[in-house]
Amino acid sequence: MTTDPLADRLTLGIDVGGSHAKIVAVQADGTVVAETRIDSGAGATPGTLVPALVAAVDTAFASAGLSRSDLVAAGLAVPGFVDDHLVASTYSPNTPGLVGAEFPRLLASALGLPMTFDSDVNAAAYGEATWGSGRGATRFLTLTVGTGLGGGLVVDGRLVRFAGGTIGDVGHVIIEPGGRRCSAGCAGCAEGLVGTAGVVDIARAAGAPPDVDRPALVIAGVAAGEAWALRAAERVGRIMGILVASLMPILLADRVAIVGGTATMGAPLFASIRTTVAAVGGPDYVHDRAIVEGRFAANAGAVGAAALALHERRTQLDR
C-alpha cells in the first residue's frame, strides 16, 4: 500500500481581496484547521502587506498550536488577471498596488515556503471543485462576489484559462446599461451593481438605516430578518440571477456555485437567484443545472489557493 507523504502535512492558503486578506491552514482532505483575516484594501502594496500577512500567519498558528514547520507549501490568490507563467498579477483594478511579480516573490521569501500563485476566482473554483460544492461536476462554474465579482471554470477537474489566465472578467457582463460604474469603468455591469458599493446602494434604496455603510451590515440585517435587508438580498439575487442565466448558454456549466462574502446572505439570496434564472434563462440551458452555495463561502479563495499549492507539490513529488 502506497503511503501519502503529504497526508499529515498542512498547506497554507492566502486570498488577498479588495477589503480583506483571508488566511487558512488546510489538511490534505480540505479540513480547515486554522484561519484568520486582516484588512487589505485597494491601497495595499507588497511593502505593507507582506509583513502583515506573515505576522497574521504566525499569530493564527500559535493560537492553534501550530507552526510554519507544519506546512508543506503555500498558495496565494489575488484579484484580477495573471500572466501565463503564474508568477505575476497583470491587471487588478481593485488592488492596483499588487500588480506585478514583486508581491508573490516577496511573500514566498518571507514565509520560506514554495509558493503557488493564481487569480482569486481560479482558486475559489478549484477549491470548491476539489473539496467542496463542485465535487462530481463535469463543468463547474464558481462565481465569487464580494468587493468585486468574478468567475472561474473547472472542466473535468482542470481550470479553464483563455483570457488573463482565467475565463475573462465575467463580472463585467452588462446588466443595466448606463447603470452604476465599477472600478474598471463599466457602466451597469454585474460587479458595479452588486460589488461592495453596489450592495450598500441597493440596501439604502431598500430602506436601510443611515448607518448601513458596508455589506457586512446588510448581511447581518438579512440574518436578523430585517425587512429592508431581505428586500436588498432579493435585489442582489435578481442581478446575480441575470448574470448566471447569461453565462449558462456560453459556458454550459452543469453546476454553478456562488461564494464570497456576499454569498453569506444565504437562503433569501439563493432563492432570488434561482427564481430569476428560471424566469429569464432559456430552458435548454438552465433546467437541471444546480445553483448551489459554496462550501467555503468567504474563505473559498484561500482554501482554493491551498488546494492549488497542494496539487503542485504532489505533482513535483510524482516527477
Side-chain angles (χ1 to χ4, degrees):
M1 184 173 65
T2 302
T3 301
D4 181 357
L6 304 181
D8 297 325
R9 303 294 300 278
L10 301 177
T11 308
L12 181 69
I14 299 173
D15 173 24
V16 177
S19 301
H20 302 95
K22 280 79 70 176
I23 302 165
V24 298
V26 186
Q27 292 177 338
D29 63 356
T31 301
V32 176
V33 296
E35 62 181 284
T36 190
R37 65 167 53 193
I38 63 172
D39 291 338
S40 54
T45 67
T48 60
L49 200 51
V50 167
L53 286 170
V54 173
V57 167
D58 289 341
T59 299
F61 275 37
S63 297
L66 304 170
S67 72
R68 274 192 255 164
S69 63
D70 297 308
L71 294 166
V72 67
L76 172 64
V78 299
F81 293 158
V82 293
D83 74 323
D84 292 341
H85 301 290
L86 301 180
V87 297
S89 168
T90 60
Y91 175 71
S92 180
N94 292 327
T95 54
L98 302 181
V99 170
E102 183 183 21
F103 180 42
R105 178 177 57 79
L106 290 180
L107 184 58
S109 177
L111 288 170
L113 291 166
M115 177 77 71
T116 300
F117 180 67
D118 213 326
S119 173
D120 58 350
V121 292
N122 283 346
Y126 191 80
E128 289 287 343
T130 303
W131 291 318
S133 59
R135 296 185 69 179
T138 300
R139 299 181 64 87
F140 176 60
L141 172 66
T142 300
L143 295 177
T144 303
V145 56
T147 301
L149 197 167
L153 182 68
V154 175
V155 177
D156 294 328
R158 301 186 65 177
L159 281 164
V160 176
R161 306 175 188 271
F162 56 76
T166 68
I167 57 170
D169 218 340
V170 298
H172 297 296
V173 170
I174 303 300
I175 305 295
E176 293 182 355
R180 194 181 198 290
R181 287 194 181 271
C182 71
S183 59
C186 302
C189 69
E191 177 171 312
L193 297 174
V194 298
T196 294
V199 168
V200 173
D201 282 354
I202 288 171
R204 288 173 175 166
D211 62 344
V212 173
D213 60 355
R214 55 192 185 277
L217 297 179
V218 183
I219 294 165
V222 173
E226 297 284 354
W228 62 266
L230 295 175
R231 289 192 294 269
E234 191 280 332
R235 172 65 176 155
V236 172
R238 177 164 175 76
I239 293 166
M240 290 292 300
I242 294 171
L243 175 63
V244 171
S246 299
L247 293 174
M248 280 182 162
I250 302 169
L251 300 176
L252 298 178
D254 53 62
R255 192 179 308 166
V256 179
I258 314 294
V259 301
T262 301
T264 59
M265 288 183 181
L269 173 73
F270 281 85
S272 180
I273 293 173
R274 295 182 183 113
T275 298
T276 302
V277 169
V280 307
D284 290 341
Y285 300 117
V286 304
H287 283 185
D288 299 320
R289 300 180 189 275
I291 299 169
V292 300
E293 188 170 357
R295 173 185 174 187
F296 299 110
N299 279 339
V303 172
L308 286 166
L310 181 61
H311 173 74
E312 177 64 19
R313 187 69 178 131
R314 289 191 191 283
T315 301
Q316 292 170 349
L317 290 176
D318 290 341
R319 287 173 184 161

